[in-house]
Amino acid sequence: MRKSSKETTPQRDKPLAATCEKFSALSEQNRKAGPKDFLQFLPLEICLKIFSQLDIQSLCSASMTCRSWNRTLESCDHLWKHHCLIVRVVCQREIDGDRGNGYSWKVALLRNYRKSKVKRDWLSGKYSNIRSRSSLPEKSMYPMDVETWGEILEAELER
């Protein structure tokens, strides 16, 4: 059941407000950026709202667009949290381990994103009827630990 927007707004505004205060100096640096950089013209709150609407590939691409975008996205860990929690559905042990070791949401996401896609395919049975290694699609493999392969084997045995 989804909460109404009135119930969730105060919780979302608190991290955003703290982030905005934290990055006032960053915002000043962004104002000195090139003329086509929207970070220069818009308040930081609006820029963060725009970035928060991006999917993971777009967010990664945006972080490579220019230095001011990269600085902003590197400094706003909460922008990566939502995507990381989606990956956590498949890679809970890995994400929890990374977060427990002090990795940021962004780093935990980048460390586990590709693995989550491969693991999800294996767990869903996409490769259940493969007869040989040469029959596997190129992007079906990723280095995984013993526990992960154990999860995959258990899922195969249940099919």
Side-chain angles (χ1 to χ4, degrees):
M1 184 174 198
R2 191 164 187 201
K3 293 181 179 180
S4 71
S5 61
K6 287 183 180 181
E7 292 176 15
T8 59
T9 302
Q11 291 178 346
R12 291 191 78 194
D13 287 345
K14 286 181 183 178
L16 186 58
T19 301
C20 292
E21 289 174 19
K22 183 178 175 183
F23 300 113
S24 60
L26 181 62
S27 182
E28 186 58 37
Q29 288 175 348
N30 289 340
R31 296 202 193 297
K32 296 175 184 174
K36 295 182 181 177
D37 186 356
F38 73 88
L39 290 174
Q40 179 181 8
F41 302 106
L42 297 175
L44 185 58
E45 303 88 16
I46 294 174
C47 296
L48 293 176
K49 183 66 174 171
I50 292 168
F51 285 133
S52 73
Q53 301 301 309
L54 299 178
D55 62 31
I56 185 168
Q57 290 87 2
S58 301
L59 198 57
C60 289
S61 295
S63 72
M64 295 184 290
T65 300
C66 65
R67 287 183 185 150
S68 68
W69 289 25
N70 184 295
R71 281 191 304 265
T72 301
L73 294 172
E74 283 291 321
S75 302
C76 297
D77 205 36
H78 72 277
L79 292 172
W80 303 92
K81 182 178 179 178
H82 169 72
H83 300 293
C84 195
L85 292 176
I86 291 171
V87 167
R88 188 178 177 272
V89 170
V90 177
C91 293
Q92 179 176 355
R93 183 175 34 82
E94 295 88 341
I95 296 291
D96 290 348
D98 284 351
R99 293 291 296 154
N101 289 330
Y103 288 107
S104 68
W105 287 110
K106 179 184 180 184
V107 172
L109 174 65
L110 296 177
R111 286 174 48 96
N112 293 289
Y113 179 71
R114 175 85 179 108
K115 181 179 186 176
S116 74
K117 292 180 80 63
V118 172
K119 186 176 174 182
R120 181 178 45 236
D121 287 346
W122 277 94
L123 290 172
S124 70
K126 184 174 182 178
Y127 306 116
S128 291
N129 296 321
I130 300 293
R131 299 285 179 218
S132 69
R133 186 180 190 287
S134 60
S135 304
L136 284 171
E138 188 176 313
K139 293 186 176 187
S140 64
M141 298 302 291
Y142 187 85
M144 293 189 236
D145 55 23
V146 173
E147 289 86 11
T148 302
W149 283 114
E151 290 175 49
I152 292 169
L153 180 59
E154 285 178 19
E156 285 297 317
L157 291 174
E158 290 176 9
R159 286 190 235 295

